[in-house]
Amino acid sequence: MDHHHPSSFTHAHHRHQNSATISTESDGNLVSNIFTNYIKKALKETGPGMKSLLVDDFALAMTSNGMNQTDILKREVFAVEPLMMTSNKSKSKSLEKVVVVPSREEESLRFVKAVCILRPTNENVNALCERLRGGGNGTSTSSSYGEFHVFFTNAIDERKLRAIAKADARGGGNKVKQIQEIFCDVIAMDECAFVIDSRDCFKEDAMRAFDPNGGMRKRVGNNNSSFQRTNYEYALMCDPSWGVRNGTPLIDRCVEGVTSVCLALKRPPMFRYSAKSNIARRIAEDAQRVASEREPGLFDFGRRNDEGYCHVLIVDRFDDCVTPLLTQWTYQAMVHEIFGISSSNRVRAPDAQKLSKKPEEFILSSREDAFFRDHKYDDYGDVGAAVKKYVDDFANERSKTTASKSTASVDDVAKFVERFPEFRQKSATVAKHVQLVHTLSKVINDRQLMKVSEIEQELACAGTSVNGLEKQVEEIVNDPSFGESEKVRLVALYCLRRETEAPQICQHLIRVLSNHVGGKRIDALDCMLRRGGENARTSDLFGTKTIAARMRTSVSALKGAENVYTRHVPLVRSLVAQCVNGKLPASEYSPTWDGFTPECSKKPAEIIVFIVGGATYAEARAVAKFNASKESNNIKVTIGGYSMLHQSRFIENLANVFDEERGP
């Protein structure tokens, strides 16, 4: 077979059967471990010898979350290089967990193997072809590397494979040694959480954490002012029929991401969607077509039907607008809410004692940071106590080391030198968490978040009495010491809770609010109530629609909660519990598959929840806690969204949806 002929090249390097893909063994089918194993297997199958990892921006974030610099170097990778010179260099340079170098234009590296991990986009394929041909497009003046081993993060079509084959032939041939598909077309943010968007979601200015406007862009005046559109994620909260700019590409990207997770978990999928959501139905139906029509061979895992399906729930963000509005009190969620955690797990946080200095950048990774792994789901008080103990333990260890220096033997000195890197790393970790907790404490005090959060929890939790809370809400709205963010969120929560019981009070609070905040925030509130109100949403958000729901709510309220600030339980927790027990109503979460039967719904082998419009770390925590509970029946749940939301991003998205709905 002629390796360079386009058709023979395609058959040599492409696969249509699942058996030809890279297989991995995962720990409990956690997406983070699956993706890490994919990368390790890709590097292993390249064989021994020096390697350079060629990545796009997406693969750079995915790789940095899965492997650190030491892991990379152990596998003979001496550099991580952007595929294109136009890649996001600022992101690359600040990424601490992998070494990133600029593209080499003149240097010949014939003895080095290029391991390419790329999304199968037209842009990436064109850039790869330019490298293979040996020039042009600002990527490289020569193909440099002696071998190319290409791994695409999702299925690639025949047309693109033929283009790569032709480029390889024109560049001298026999450089592309293999092309494989590894299904990791999302970014694992946590053990059981993923996102699709690889762009940073930092707050624009870390100092805005101390802003009374809560890190949101301040807009004063009428509806002519607008939020700056730095991304088009809001298009996923619009009706597909509106024809929003970038709407269809974002829908397609969600389909690619969700189906890649199904393939990574190696379970035949069964898609279900929020019955009242057109965007959720569109994503679910498109994903079903991929699985049953476009790539049926990929989803044939040789499993019997009685082994169970992977239930994929496509949930509309408007089904639960409460969760992204609440003040968060667990460590990971608080850090994201106030500072923002990027897709590569980086945080930019100012030092509360040195506010004039540029914010520092930290890595918050469960894989790298044992303290963060152990305490990311703890509430604020427990984290503070844990940090204090961590500091005390480190101080004791340091004092023992210092005291023993004068009487240390040669062996003692040798042991100290051996442990010094670990000691220095622990010192940096201690300093990082002390600074984060100290800064969080200052933000909480400056913005009076504890007082606000008590009212939020009363409004958000089903089974609690909200009579009289309108007075407290109005007092805060009229109080200039509270920020716009807190005022908007309290009014929004009150209206979501009592829109049918007390519509006149809701309208009064909105009128009062409009005197204190910019017009775009009122637009966002209007959009939320129309699209996520009681008549529009699929779910029984407050547990009041049926007798059974009211009984469950009453029992839950009687049980109480350990912490008054963390009583609220996200809707997703109820959905996955119903799904595990086979009690999720098909009338509310409709199946796309004609062969759906009640018997199918009772046998989920795994569950994926994809929230259109973005997930939150509070929901990721709820899923992790569910997975660890007996209620899960050992059925693993994975949650994902286009991004991880924080309050200001959610409000901005709502305001932009309002603009699209209103039209030019």
Side-chain angles (χ1 to χ4, degrees):
M1 179 182 291
D2 181 7
H3 174 77
H4 304 299
H5 189 274
S7 61
S8 61
F9 177 95
T10 297
H11 290 294
H13 293 285
H14 190 37
R15 59 94 206 92
H16 287 288
Q17 298 299 324
N18 187 62
S19 59
T21 61
I22 291 181
S23 62
T24 61
E25 295 297 328
S26 63
D27 180 11
N29 268 6
L30 300 176
V31 289
S32 59
N33 292 339
I34 291 174
F35 295 166
T36 298
N37 288 337
Y38 270 138
I39 299 169
K40 290 179 179 178
K41 291 282 284 185
L43 294 174
K44 181 179 179 180
E45 293 201 0
T46 304
M50 293 188 67
K51 306 175 184 70
S52 178
L53 193 59
L54 293 183
V55 293
D56 56 18
D57 287 342
F58 170 86
L60 181 58
M62 181 191 69
T63 303
S64 68
N65 282 3
M67 300 180 72
N68 60 23
Q69 182 176 340
T70 303
D71 292 332
I72 291 286
L73 292 174
K74 282 180 180 178
R75 288 162 177 80
E76 301 180 283
V77 177
F78 79 97
V80 179
E81 181 179 348
L83 176 68
M84 294 177 284
M85 288 297 289
T86 54
S87 292
N88 190 341
K89 292 183 181 180
S90 61
K91 179 195 294 185
S92 301
K93 289 180 180 178
S94 61
L95 193 59
E96 296 180 5
K97 293 196 288 179
V98 291
V99 178
V100 182
V101 298
S103 297
R104 292 159 172 75
E105 296 189 358
E106 302 293 342
E107 186 178 357
S108 179
L109 300 172
R110 303 291 179 184
F111 60 92
V112 177
K113 300 176 180 179
V115 183
C116 308
I117 300 180
L118 310 167
R119 293 203 64 247
T121 63
N122 289 331
E123 184 181 32
N124 284 341
V125 170
N126 290 338
L128 177 61
C129 289
E130 287 295 329
R131 279 186 175 268
L132 292 171
R133 282 193 293 264
N137 202 28
T139 55
S140 179
T141 57
S142 68
S143 58
S144 298
Y145 298 104
E147 296 181 6
F148 284 79
H149 300 258
V150 185
F151 300 88
F152 287 109
T153 61
N154 213 324
I156 183 170
D157 59 48
E158 298 278 349
R159 178 182 59 82
K160 292 174 183 174
L161 284 169
R162 291 175 183 275
I164 295 172
K166 290 179 180 178
D168 188 31
R170 290 180 183 178
N174 205 30
K175 289 183 178 179
V176 178
K177 300 302 181 183
Q178 61 175 318
I179 294 179
Q180 294 200 47
E181 295 164 344
I182 56 176
F183 296 103
C184 46
D185 209 12
V186 298
I187 299 172
M189 297 296 293
D190 221 330
E191 290 88 346
C192 56
F194 67 87
V195 297
I196 289 175
D197 191 6
S198 62
R199 291 172 296 179
D200 287 341
C201 54
F202 294 131
K203 297 297 180 70
E204 285 194 337
D205 180 357
M207 298 308 298
R208 289 179 182 266
F210 298 94
D211 193 320
N213 292 316
M216 299 168 63
R217 300 181 185 88
K218 188 174 182 181
R219 291 290 183 267
V220 180
N222 56 30
N223 287 341
N224 292 328
S225 60
S226 62
F227 290 110
Q228 180 183 355
R229 296 184 180 181
T230 56
N231 67 78
Y232 286 88
E233 177 188 25
Y234 72 88
L236 292 172
M237 300 176 71
C238 299
D239 192 293
S241 64
W242 297 354
V244 178
R245 177 185 175 187
N246 286 336
T248 298
L250 285 176
I251 291 172
D252 293 343
R253 183 67 187 92
C254 289
V255 171
E256 292 164 357
V258 169
T259 52
S260 79
V261 176
C262 295
L263 290 167
L265 294 176
K266 294 182 172 58
R267 292 280 183 182
M270 184 176 69
F271 297 95
R272 302 177 68 175
Y273 59 90
S274 300
K276 292 185 178 181
S277 171
N278 289 333
I279 187 76
R281 182 180 64 184
R282 168 79 177 273
I283 292 174
E285 290 178 347
D286 286 359
Q288 182 65 59
R289 276 191 287 272
V290 170
S292 59
E293 298 175 18
R294 283 173 47 191
E295 296 282 1
L298 286 179
F299 292 85
D300 181 10
F301 301 106
R303 296 179 183 271
R304 303 188 310 273
N305 286 342
D306 60 1
E307 292 185 71
Y309 292 87
C310 176
H311 287 212
V312 185
L313 307 182
I314 310 297
V315 180
D316 196 313
R317 180 73 272 171
F318 283 113
D319 282 351
D320 179 9
C321 289
V322 170
T323 299
L325 289 173
L326 295 175
T327 300
Q328 299 301 322
W329 292 102
T330 54
Y331 193 26
Q332 184 183 45
M334 287 177 69
V335 171
H336 183 60
E337 189 59 55
I338 292 176
F339 305 120
I341 300 176
S342 78
S343 58
S344 51
N345 285 324
R346 289 176 293 130
V347 176
R348 291 176 187 162
D351 188 333
Q353 294 180 322
K354 304 173 183 177
L355 296 181
S356 60
K357 286 192 173 183
K358 184 178 179 180
E360 293 186 52
E361 189 169 289
F362 303 112
I363 299 293
L364 277 184
S365 168
S366 299
R367 190 182 298 275
E368 303 296 318
D369 187 335
F371 181 88
F372 182 68
R373 180 179 64 245
D374 295 339
H375 299 286
K376 63 185 175 182
Y377 296 143
D378 289 353
D379 62 42
Y380 175 60
D382 292 339
V383 170
V387 167
K388 184 179 183 305
K389 184 178 184 302
Y390 197 32
V391 171
D392 292 342
D393 291 345
F394 178 74
N396 290 335
E397 183 179 349
R398 185 173 60 179
S399 63
K400 290 178 182 178
T401 302
T402 304
S404 63
K405 280 184 179 179
S406 58
T407 59
S409 65
V410 175
D411 289 341
D412 292 334
V413 172
K415 290 179 181 178
F416 174 77
V417 171
E418 185 178 341
R419 289 190 55 208
F420 183 73
E422 178 186 348
F423 184 82
R424 186 172 60 178
Q425 182 180 9
K426 189 172 183 180
S427 174
T429 302
V430 169
K432 171 176 66 178
H433 290 290
V434 167
Q435 178 171 329
L436 283 174
V437 171
H438 187 200
T439 306
L440 287 173
S441 177
K442 181 170 175 55
V443 172
I444 289 167
N445 291 331
D446 288 356
R447 290 172 54 183
Q448 306 176 74
L449 293 181
M450 283 190 167
K451 182 175 181 179
V452 172
S453 185
E454 281 192 66
I455 303 175
E456 288 178 353
Q457 291 292 320
E458 291 292 332
L459 292 170
C461 295
T464 58
S465 174
V466 295
N467 293 328
L469 284 181
E470 63 272 10
K471 294 180 180 179
Q472 297 182 52
V473 172
E474 187 170 355
E475 287 176 2
I476 289 178
V477 170
N478 286 319
D479 189 336
S481 67
F482 287 90
E484 290 187 11
S485 174
E486 283 68 54
K487 296 175 181 180
V488 170
R489 291 187 288 107
L490 282 177
V491 173
L493 289 168
Y494 187 92
C495 293
L496 284 171
R497 180 69 183 270
R498 304 206 68 194
E499 59 180 319
T500 56
E501 298 175 6
Q504 293 181 341
I505 296 177
C506 292
Q507 290 302 316
H508 170 71
L509 289 176
I510 293 173
R511 284 195 297 270
V512 174
L513 179 67
S514 64
N515 295 325
H516 299 278
V517 303
K520 298 309 297 181
R521 288 178 171 80
I522 301 299
D523 291 347
L525 179 57
D526 177 78
C527 174
M528 179 172 20
L529 294 177
R530 283 185 296 100
R531 302 288 305 283
E534 184 172 344
N535 294 328
R537 59 180 177 255
T538 301
S539 60
D540 184 7
L541 189 56
F542 295 104
T544 58
K545 290 185 177 180
T546 65
I547 295 176
R550 287 195 291 271
M551 289 180 63
R552 286 195 300 269
T553 298
S554 300
V555 171
S556 177
L558 289 172
K559 288 181 179 179
E562 295 180 3
N563 190 322
V564 295
Y565 299 108
T566 57
R567 286 177 293 169
H568 175 261
V569 179
L571 173 69
V572 68
R573 175 65 171 73
S574 171
L575 295 182
V576 297
Q578 292 179 70
C579 190
V580 164
N581 295 321
K583 295 181 179 180
L584 187 63
S587 59
E588 295 182 4
Y589 289 88
S590 307
T592 58
W593 182 36
D594 293 337
F596 177 85
T597 64
E599 190 65 24
C600 295
S601 68
K602 294 179 182 178
K603 296 182 178 181
E606 295 192 52
I607 300 172
I608 299 171
V609 180
F610 183 79
I611 303 180
V612 184
T616 68
Y617 278 110
E619 288 160 331
R621 175 181 181 268
V623 165
K625 293 289 186 182
F626 180 82
N627 285 339
S629 70
K630 293 181 179 179
E631 190 179 357
S632 69
N633 293 329
N634 294 321
I635 296 173
K636 292 298 180 184
V637 182
T638 302
I639 187 170
Y642 187 77
S643 69
M644 283 293 182
L645 290 176
H646 45 60
Q647 294 164 0
S648 56
R649 187 167 184 168
F650 181 54
I651 296 294
E652 287 183 25
N653 286 346
L654 289 171
N656 288 329
V657 172
F658 178 91
D659 286 345
E660 291 290 350
E661 190 173 14
R662 184 178 56 182

